[in-house]
Amino acid sequence: MKFARRTDWELTDNPLSLALKQRREQGLPVFDLTESNPTRAGIEYPPDLFLGAFNNKESLLYAPEPAGLLKARQAVAAYLNAAQARRQAGANTSPLAGTTQPDAIMPGNLTLTASTSEAYSFLFRLLADPGDRILLPAPSYPLFSYLADINDVEPVYYNLRFDGKRWAMDLDSIEQAARLGKVKAVVLVSPNNPTGSSISLDELKQLNALCTRYAMAIISDEVFSDYLFAGAREQYVSLAANSPVLSFALGGLSKALALPQMKLGWIAANGPADILSTALARLEVITDTFLSVNTPVQHACIEWLPQAALIQDQIMARITANLEALRAWAPRSGFELYPVAGGWYAVLKADLPLPEDEWAVELLHTTGVYVHPGFYFDFASEGYVVLSLLPLPETFRLGLNALIK
Ligand SMILES: Cc1ncc(COP(=O)(O)O)c(C=O)c1O
């Protein structure tokens, strides 16, 4: 059988995941500093709320709406507008001045999907023909190359560079790539996984100019926007309110409520009116073809989203405590810790005695500490290490102590 070339992936375990599997099979201790599955990180989900919401007779009726049930979209719109208002509280000036009002997310601009990953796929299908290009940030989230393969688009990477204070977008590298032609969209992850950095208002203005010049849309992955530290929170710019360019802001329950298993994501679209309405109409044909979002979760999210603070407060407390421990640890560790402005991750750098991948395997063998080497996230050079801030504090502390040895 000859399979499609787009599925010619390396299917064997890499040496690090193999070493992890073996260690676990042997019953040896593992200090997992990569754990980013919130349902395994000791977060309390009140069962009355999270399971009780499924006891709803309306879920026995199948009456699908391609963009998602209106009531569910209303709940998501209310949630996003409230989140934006909360972030802005305390800001001197609205970072969105000059664009549409921050509370302007309307249910009609929302499309529900089964996950953010599915949202990417639908948007790549909407925007790109086979062989077209999508611009992706590096370093960033490792799923992109698969999403690009599956959707027959060519990934082209632009750089995020640490400028001494923050990971800034290299807009020159975006323009260079745009000049290649056939670039249909620029993807941002804001806050980014793993650097925690978000697009600034100044970067957005320049990006809007580039996107207008080269007819590119913007896809902004905002799944971590509920997890911003003070300072970054007030400055945060959501692309849900970006009207000058066709823009899609992605989010979902996997991070907003730390419930990846519930499979609900959303796309908040914005842009010049005529382009926006055509985009929404075409997107609706794609979602209508799959109708992939299940009805029970759409009803349940109406009860869950107003209670999001129950989960987000626990996660903020966890990542804040682990970040404090990391900050105290870093000066005596030999690692440089990059500033963390948001998200669930921290980035470290050091002159490692071995190439990153070999070093991570060696570290696991000798200390039981499991970390992600930077190349998983396409850092431009060697020596980066990525930690999750979500592990239980005791595991995190023990892991850091072992890492220092
Ligand atoms: C930046 C980013 N986007 C999207 C996702 C996936 O979200 P979903 O579970 O909604 O597909 C993740 C998962 O870790 C992520 O880190």
Side-chain angles (χ1 to χ4, degrees), residues 39-58:
T39 66
R40 293 218 180 99
I43 303 299
E44 303 266 335
Y45 301 86
D48 287 352
L49 173 62
F50 287 103
L51 299 177
F54 285 119
N55 193 1
N56 183 340
K57 281 204 178 123
E58 286 188 75

Side-chain angles (χ1 to χ4, degrees), residues 115-117 141 189 193 221 223-224 254-255:
S115 64
T116 321
S117 316
Y141 177 51
V189 183
N193 168 1
D221 179 335
V223 296
F224 287 111
S254 83
K255 305 294 181 291

Side-chain angles (χ1 to χ4, degrees), residues 298-322:
Q298 294 187 71
H299 288 302
C301 81
I302 298 167
E303 290 180 43
W304 295 341
L305 285 168
Q307 307 291 333
L310 287 177
I311 301 302
Q312 291 174 7
D313 289 353
Q314 293 182 64
I315 293 192
M316 279 312 286
R318 171 69 56 81
I319 63 181
T320 304
N322 282 343

Side-chain angles (χ1 to χ4, degrees), residues 113-128:
T113 60
S115 64
T116 321
S117 316
E118 187 183 66
Y120 275 115
S121 221
F122 287 178
L123 291 173
F124 289 179
R125 291 319 248 180
L126 171 72
L127 298 166

